[in-house]
Amino acid sequence: MTALEKSFYSKASMYSFIVVLTLFGLMWIGTGRFSHMDWMLFGYMISSFIFFIGMTVRLTSWMMRPATSEMVKRSIENMKSRNRQKRNVKAIAKTMIDNIIFQKFIFKRGIYRGIQHWLIAWGCIGSLAITFSLTFGWMHFKLVDPATYQVVVFSIPTLKVAADGYLAQLFFEGLNITASMLMIGLIMALFQRIKSKDLKVTSRAEFDLLPLYILLAVTLSGLFLTVSYKLLAGWMHPELALLHQITVVIFLIYFPFGKLFHLPVRPLATAIPMNYTEAKSGDTKECAGCAELYSNDDQITDVKAILDKQAFDLKNDNGDWLADYCPACRRKIRVMSQLNLPGEKVAPVPVQTNNGIHVPGFGSKRSEHFYSSMDDKGDV
């Protein structure tokens, strides 16, 4: 434990302090030393701080788990290796494109579910990115002349856009676009849960349905704001703005502690193929029983370390680990143990379980001399 860690109650509190301090620093830069704060977004700002603190606490506890801790250590070790740089970049890029951007792992479960998940995921990501950028003052629009806006990012003037141009409209309607994506995905998800009998049985209201209802409330209240000032001449706009802010605050506070927590965790899955997928040679670990290649050396080493940390004693009588055997040999070891057979290594042959007694089928009549014929043969 370092001197810095001793100054805090826990690692989570230390990391939370660092995150909050970083956010204040970025706000100071983005708002030009707090010179152009939008106090109408004060509620969003407070809930955003709570969001980042909650995410820090959850991620810290998640990273302290034995499996995650070993994954992080292996990732850092592999990233430092010069011999693996090309392989690391290739693995991360491929996983990011396939699993994060296109989310092919969901499309494998069905086109409908893939489209639904993709719309909800990227609707959330886009909405959060825009919300945090505006709330913390990282990005704002500066009026250069009556027909031109300039995009200012962290107090640095960047792109100039025409006020009535397509690019400006894309900036101004960004939240409406992401909200529309979210609404379509949420309607698809709710329809699937109403129609699918399997999901009716497995879905839990507080875990599976509550985040959908919260997201739907945020989406609809935000879109109603646009309808109010564009089509209804601002009818009930202050009330709708307050309602939308309440739903967003609830969403941001709930996010780190519910099902939606998997959204920022998912990109960390890029470490799995980077660490355990060999570029050319495939499996490199030999089975201790049959000498067949069945896994990756690093993966088996990490599995042993994780099991040891969790006090799972999966060592065999001869001193090796069950993880040193391929799945087929593990099944043989398990069967031998259940039959109380010797633990020495045996030839991989089927265990003979036929005891000579044959039971006739349901449609066949048992012979009256069946048991007498067995007695004539002696003990079996």
Side-chain angles (χ1 to χ4, degrees), residues 159-200:
L159 185 66
K160 290 184 179 180
V161 295
D164 57 350
Y166 290 108
L167 188 57
Q169 293 302 314
L170 186 64
F171 281 129
F172 301 151
E173 302 296 336
L175 277 174
N176 288 329
I177 294 172
T178 56
S180 300
M181 293 170 59
L182 258 174
M183 186 177 66
I184 296 171
L186 291 169
I187 292 173
M188 294 174 67
L190 291 172
F191 178 76
Q192 186 182 31
R193 277 159 175 75
I194 293 172
K195 184 179 178 181
S196 174
K197 295 180 179 179
D198 294 336
L199 289 176
K200 284 182 180 179

Side-chain angles (χ1 to χ4, degrees), residues 49-324:
F49 274 109
I50 297 175
F51 169 89
F52 279 101
I53 293 172
M55 287 301 303
T56 304
V57 172
R58 284 296 308 276
L59 284 171
T60 302
S61 61
W62 180 71
M63 297 282 279
M64 291 173 65
R65 294 176 180 177
T68 315
S69 177
E70 288 297 322
M71 176 72 70
V72 172
K73 289 179 182 178
R74 179 67 63 183
S75 301
I76 295 174
E77 178 184 336
N78 290 339
M79 290 295 289
K80 290 180 178 179
S81 174
R82 293 184 178 180
N83 297 329
R84 297 174 55 103
Q85 287 182 353
K86 290 184 179 179
R87 174 179 154 190
N88 292 341
V89 172
K90 181 179 178 182
I92 292 175
K94 185 177 185 303
T95 309
M96 285 292 293
I97 293 172
D98 291 346
N99 290 352
I100 309 302
I101 298 177
F102 294 112
Q103 301 182 10
K104 292 182 180 180
F105 67 100
I106 295 293
F107 280 91
K108 291 179 181 178
R109 301 169 64 183
I111 298 296
Y112 184 92
R113 180 169 290 186
I115 295 174
Q116 158 203 310
H117 191 276
W118 190 90
L119 288 172
I120 294 176
W122 282 106
C124 273
I125 293 172
S127 298
L128 287 173
I130 296 173
T131 299
F132 293 145
S133 298
L134 297 176
T135 300
F136 292 124
W138 298 338
M139 179 185 72
H140 67 274
F141 299 94
K142 180 181 178 181
L143 185 63
V144 178
D145 55 61
T148 307
Y149 279 101
Q150 187 170 45
V151 182
V152 181
V153 180
F154 288 105
S155 298
I156 301 174
T158 58
L159 185 66
K160 290 184 179 180
V161 295
D164 57 350
Y166 290 108
L167 188 57
Q169 293 302 314
L170 186 64
F171 281 129
F172 301 151
E173 302 296 336
L175 277 174
N176 288 329
I177 294 172
T178 56
S180 300
M181 293 170 59
L182 258 174
M183 186 177 66
I184 296 171
L186 291 169
I187 292 173
M188 294 174 67
L190 291 172
F191 178 76
Q192 186 182 31
R193 277 159 175 75
I194 293 172
K195 184 179 178 181
S196 174
K197 295 180 179 179
D198 294 336
L199 289 176
K200 284 182 180 179
V201 175
T202 58
S203 295
R204 291 183 293 165
E206 73 281 2
F207 186 74
D208 297 300
L209 297 179
L210 180 61
L212 296 180
Y213 295 149
I214 293 176
L215 280 172
L216 192 63
V218 172
T219 302
L220 291 178
S221 60
L223 291 175
F224 279 145
L225 274 174
T226 303
V227 173
S228 172
Y229 73 78
K230 282 196 173 184
L231 302 179
L232 302 178
W235 177 75
M236 288 190 68
H237 192 274
E239 292 82 1
L240 289 173
L242 179 60
L243 176 63
H244 179 63
Q245 185 168 165
I246 292 172
T247 59
V248 173
V249 168
I250 293 173
F251 165 72
L252 290 174
I253 295 175
Y254 166 82
F255 190 103
F257 308 103
K259 186 177 182 179
L260 298 174
F261 173 71
H262 78 278
L263 183 63
V265 171
R266 183 67 195 179
L268 300 178
T270 55
I272 296 176
M274 180 189 73
N275 293 334
Y276 304 129
T277 303
E278 295 291 337
K280 297 180 180 179
S281 57
D283 294 334
T284 58
K285 177 68 176 177
E286 282 190 2
C287 173
C290 62
E292 291 289 333
L293 298 178
Y294 71 100
S295 185
N296 180 277
D297 290 282
D298 292 342
Q299 185 172 11
I300 299 302
T301 302
D302 290 346
V303 167
K304 293 179 184 178
I306 293 167
L307 293 174
D308 189 49
K309 284 185 178 181
Q310 294 182 314
F312 285 116
D313 187 9
L314 296 180
K315 288 185 178 181
N316 298 318
D317 295 336
N318 56 2
D320 55 11
W321 288 72
L322 197 61
D324 291 323

